[in-house]
Amino acid sequence: MYFTTDPKFRRVRSLPLYQTLLCVVCVLILVLNGVSLVRNLDGLKSANTRQAQADRVTAKLQYLNLLVTDAESGLRGYYLSGSETYLGPLRTAERELDGQFSSLKAQLADNPSQLKNLAQLQTLVTRRINLMNQGLDVYRHGGLNDIVAIAQAQEDKTHMDEIRLQVVIMTGEQNELLAARSAAFYDRYKLAALRGLGINLAALVVLVLFYNLIRRGFRARLNAERALQQTNDHLESLVSERTEQLSVLSRHLIRVSEEEKAKLARELHDELGANLTAIGMHLASVGDQLKDSHPEHAATLGRARGTLIETVELKRRIVEDLRPSLLDNLGLSAALQSYCEDFGRTTRVDCEALIEGDVDSAAPTQAIALFRIAQESLNNVAKYAQAKHVVVHLAREGEAFTLEVSDDGVGIPPDAMRRPKSHGLLGMRERALLLGGTLRVDRGANGIGTTVHACVPVVAQSAESGGAASSGALTMPGLSEAGPGEPVRDAGRDHAEFALHQLHQHLRAAQAMSPPATAARDAAALMRATHPSANGHTRF
C-alpha cells in the first residue's frame, strides 16, 4: 500500500503481470492434473477389460476341453453299459460347440494369431466329435469288439492329445498377450505416476510462491496499517495541539475583549462624561445670559441641551453594554436580577432569577464571565427557543459557582456544540474553560426546552482587588475649577458635587423656558441620567 499526493497518479485496477501469470500456470497445472487422472482412469478401465476378456477366453477354452473330455467319457460309458444316458455329454457338446467357437471368435477378433489357433482347435474338435459319432455307429452295427479294435489303433488318444495341446497353446498365448499388455499398462501407469508427481511438484512450487505473495501482501498491509496508525496518531496529536492552541487563543481573545470593553467603558464614562458635563454647564450658562435679551436663542440652546441629555443617555447605554456598572458597583446578584427584569420587559418572556448563596463574593473575572454566559443564554432563548418561561439560577455550592439557565422552548439539537457556526455556545464554553470551569448544554427535563449548566471554581479575590478603577468600576470623576471650555479631571468630590449642582440649576432654568414637551423630555432624561452609585459617585 502506497500513499501519494501526485495528481498524475493512476489507481491500479488489475493484478501485476507476474501474479496473473502465476494464476494462469496454476490453472494449467490443475487442468493437466485432471486430464492425467482421466487418462489413467481410462487406462485402468481398459486393462481391467482386457484382463476380464483374457479370463473369459481361458474359461471358454477350458470349457471346450471339458465338453470334449466329457463327451468322450460319456461315450465310453455307453460302450460299457449300453445306456443312452451316457450319450448326454456328446449331445451337449454337439449343441454348444458352435456357439462357444463363435463367442471365442468374437473375443479374439483383435488377435489374428489366436484366431488361427482357434480355427485349428475347431478343426480338431470337430474331427474328434465326428469320430465319436462314427464310433457310435460302429458300436451300434458291429458291437463292442469293433470298438475295441478301433481303440487299439491309438488314434483316439492322439486326437485328444492334439486337442489338449492346442488348448494349452492358446491359453499360453493368451496369458503371454495379457502379460505383455499388463507390462505396457504398467509402463504407461508409471509414466502417468511420474507425470502426476511432476504436476504435484509444480503445484507445490506454485503454492509456495502463492504463500510468499500472501505473506508479502500481509506484511505490506501490516506496514501500511502501522504507517496509517502512526499517521493518525500524529494527526490526532497535531489536531489536539492545534485545538488547544486555538482554545488558548480564544480564551485570550475573550479576556482581551473584556479588558478592552472595560477600558473603553471607563474612557467613555470618564472622558466623554466629563466633556458632556462641561458642555451642559456651558450651555446652561449661555442660556441664562440670553434668556432675557435673546429668547429665541435661549430656546435653541434649550433644545441643544435636550439633545445633550439624550446623548448622555446614549452614552450610558453604550457603557452599560460594554461593562455593566451594576456588576462593579452592586455586585453580580443585582446585575443579573436587573438584566433578567430588562430581558422580561423587552421580550415579554417570563424570566425568573434565583440567587442563592454569597455570589457577590465572586472575583471580577468570574462575575463578568458568569454574567456574559447568562446574557448569551438569554439571547439564544430570545432568538431560537420560542419559550414562555425562563429560569436563571445562580448559586454558590461549596468552592464553585453554578449557573443554570433553563427554558421551556423547542429545545436544542444534540450536536449543537459541534456545529461550526455555534459561536455563541463555543464562546460560553471558552469563558468557562478560561476560569477552569465547565459548560454543558442539555435537553431540559422530560426532553422539553434547553438547560445551560456552567460551573466555575471559586478563587481568592486578593489578586483581583485594587480599587474600583482597576477592577473595571465605572465612576464619574469630579470636576475642578478650570477655564471656560476646559474641564479639569481628577479633582475632589466637592468640586464634582458643585458642578453637578450647577448643572441641575441650569437644566431647571432651561426647562422653564422650553416648550412643555421639551421640558418633560429633558426632565425624564435628567432623571434617568443621574443615579448615585454605591460609592457615592455619579453614574451617567
Side-chain angles (χ1 to χ4, degrees):
M1 184 179 294
Y2 299 95
F3 300 94
T4 180
T5 57
D6 186 3
K8 297 182 180 180
F9 174 75
R10 293 186 178 180
R11 192 174 184 179
V12 179
R13 298 184 180 274
S14 62
L15 290 174
L17 180 60
Y18 71 94
Q19 293 185 3
T20 304
L21 292 177
L22 195 60
C23 292
V24 172
V25 170
C26 184
V27 172
L28 291 177
I29 288 175
L30 294 176
V31 171
L32 290 176
N33 194 20
V35 172
S36 176
L37 289 176
V38 172
R39 293 185 62 183
N40 291 337
L41 182 62
D42 292 339
L44 181 60
K45 183 179 179 181
S46 177
N48 291 333
T49 301
R50 287 193 294 269
Q51 178 68 37
Q53 181 181 357
D55 292 339
R56 287 193 299 270
V57 170
T58 302
K60 288 185 178 295
L61 289 175
Q62 296 295 333
Y63 185 64
L64 286 174
N65 188 25
L66 181 62
L67 286 176
V68 175
T69 303
D70 289 343
E72 185 176 2
S73 299
L75 185 60
R76 290 174 181 174
Y78 176 73
Y79 289 157
L80 294 176
S81 63
S83 175
E84 294 289 337
T85 304
Y86 288 99
L87 295 178
L90 178 60
R91 301 292 179 251
T92 302
E94 290 177 346
R95 288 194 307 269
E96 294 185 1
L97 283 176
D98 292 337
Q100 294 295 326
F101 280 112
S102 298
S103 177
L104 285 172
K105 286 180 181 180
Q107 293 179 5
L108 297 175
D110 58 343
N111 193 342
S113 62
Q114 286 288 77
L115 288 176
K116 184 178 179 180
N117 293 330
L118 182 63
Q120 293 178 359
L121 178 62
Q122 186 177 6
T123 301
L124 293 174
V125 171
T126 302
R127 186 173 61 181
R128 180 58 185 165
I129 294 298
N130 292 333
L131 289 175
M132 289 181 184
N133 287 326
Q134 292 176 4
L136 182 62
D137 292 338
V138 171
Y139 174 77
R140 287 176 179 176
H141 292 89
L144 183 61
N145 295 324
D146 293 338
I147 297 301
V148 173
I150 294 173
Q152 290 177 354
Q154 297 293 327
E155 292 183 358
D156 291 342
K157 187 176 183 306
T158 302
H159 290 161
M160 287 302 299
D161 291 340
E162 290 179 353
I163 290 174
R164 291 188 185 95
L165 180 59
Q166 192 65 27
V167 170
V168 170
I169 291 173
M170 290 186 68
T171 303
E173 289 186 0
Q174 192 67 25
N175 291 333
E176 291 177 356
L177 178 61
L178 179 62
R181 290 180 176 178
S182 297
F185 172 74
Y186 175 75
D187 293 338
R188 288 196 300 270
Y189 185 79
K190 183 178 180 181
L191 180 62
L194 294 176
R195 189 184 302 113
L197 182 60
I199 292 174
N200 290 333
L201 290 176
L204 183 61
V205 172
V206 172
L207 288 176
V208 170
L209 293 177
F210 264 122
Y211 172 75
N212 290 332
L213 286 177
I214 293 173
R215 185 177 64 178
R216 288 173 56 189
F218 181 73
R219 288 182 178 178
R221 185 170 67 252
L222 286 181
N223 293 333
E225 290 178 355
R226 190 178 297 109
L228 184 60
Q229 183 64 35
Q230 292 176 356
T231 304
N232 289 337
D233 295 340
H234 176 69
L235 290 178
E236 288 180 359
S237 62
L238 186 62
V239 169
S240 299
E241 181 181 355
R242 294 293 186 270
T243 303
E244 181 63 24
Q245 291 176 356
L246 291 176
S247 180
V248 172
L249 177 60
S250 175
R251 299 167 200 169
H252 174 70
L253 292 178
I254 291 174
R255 183 171 61 252
V256 170
S257 175
E258 290 298 334
E259 292 175 356
E260 292 296 327
K261 286 181 179 180
K263 180 180 178 181
L264 181 58
R266 285 195 299 269
E267 291 180 355
L268 287 176
H269 186 274
D270 297 342
E271 305 291 337
L272 184 59
N275 290 337
L276 292 176
T277 301
I279 293 172
M281 293 174 60
H282 291 303
L283 289 177
S285 176
V286 174
D288 291 339
Q289 295 176 6
L290 297 178
K291 179 173 59 176
D292 297 330
S293 60
H294 298 83
E296 66 279 2
H297 296 308
T300 302
L301 290 176
R303 288 190 295 272
R305 285 195 301 273
T307 304
L308 177 62
I309 293 175
E310 292 179 355
T311 304
V312 172
E313 178 64 19
L314 176 61
K315 186 268 301 180
R316 188 191 69 83
R317 290 198 301 270
I318 294 175
V319 170
E320 289 294 325
D321 291 337
L322 291 174
R323 181 77 177 190
S325 59
L326 286 178
L327 188 64
D328 297 312
N329 296 326
L330 299 181
L332 178 60
S333 176
L336 194 57
Q337 288 178 346
S338 176
Y339 186 82
C340 290
E341 293 175 359
D342 293 340
F343 176 82
R345 286 194 304 268
T346 304
T347 60
R348 295 183 180 179
V349 175
D350 184 15
C351 185
E352 181 181 1
L354 301 178
I355 310 297
E356 296 180 5
D358 186 16
V359 297
D360 291 332
S361 62
T365 55
Q366 294 175 322
I368 190 62
L370 293 171
F371 183 83
R372 294 298 187 194
I373 292 174
Q375 187 180 34
E376 182 64 29
S377 300
L378 292 177
N379 288 338
N380 290 335
V381 171
K383 292 179 181 179
Y384 311 112
Q386 303 177 12
K388 295 181 180 179
H389 185 74
V390 183
V391 176
V392 179
H393 182 207
L394 177 62
R396 176 170 179 173
E397 299 178 356
E399 295 300 321
F401 296 103
T402 59
L403 173 66
E404 186 175 286
V405 181
S406 305
D407 64 76
D408 58 354
V410 297
I412 188 172
D415 60 341
M417 290 292 289
R418 295 189 296 271
R419 291 181 179 178
K421 294 186 178 180
S422 300
H423 303 299
L425 296 177
L426 295 177
M428 290 191 293
R429 185 185 66 181
E430 293 302 325
R431 287 182 182 276
L433 293 177
L434 178 62
L435 300 176
T438 59
L439 184 131
R440 188 177 70 253
V441 181
D442 301 318
R443 300 282 293 187
N446 300 323
I448 300 175
T450 305
T451 300
V452 178
H453 182 84
C455 180
V456 176
V458 177
V459 296
Q461 273 192 327
S462 58
E464 300 290 344
S465 61
S470 62
S471 63
L474 302 181
T475 59
M476 180 66 185
L479 298 177
S480 62
E481 296 181 359
E486 295 181 359
V488 179
R489 303 171 183 85
D490 298 331
R493 181 175 177 180
D494 296 336
H495 295 284
E497 293 177 354
F498 176 74
L500 183 60
H501 178 69
Q502 284 188 340
L503 179 59
H504 277 281
Q505 288 181 348
H506 290 301
L507 289 177
R508 290 191 186 95
Q511 291 170 9
M513 297 177 58
S514 301
T518 303
R521 180 192 63 187
D522 295 343
L526 180 61
M527 291 176 64
R528 289 196 302 271
T530 57
H531 291 281
S533 62
N535 57 4
H537 293 183
T538 300
R539 293 189 298 109
F540 284 89

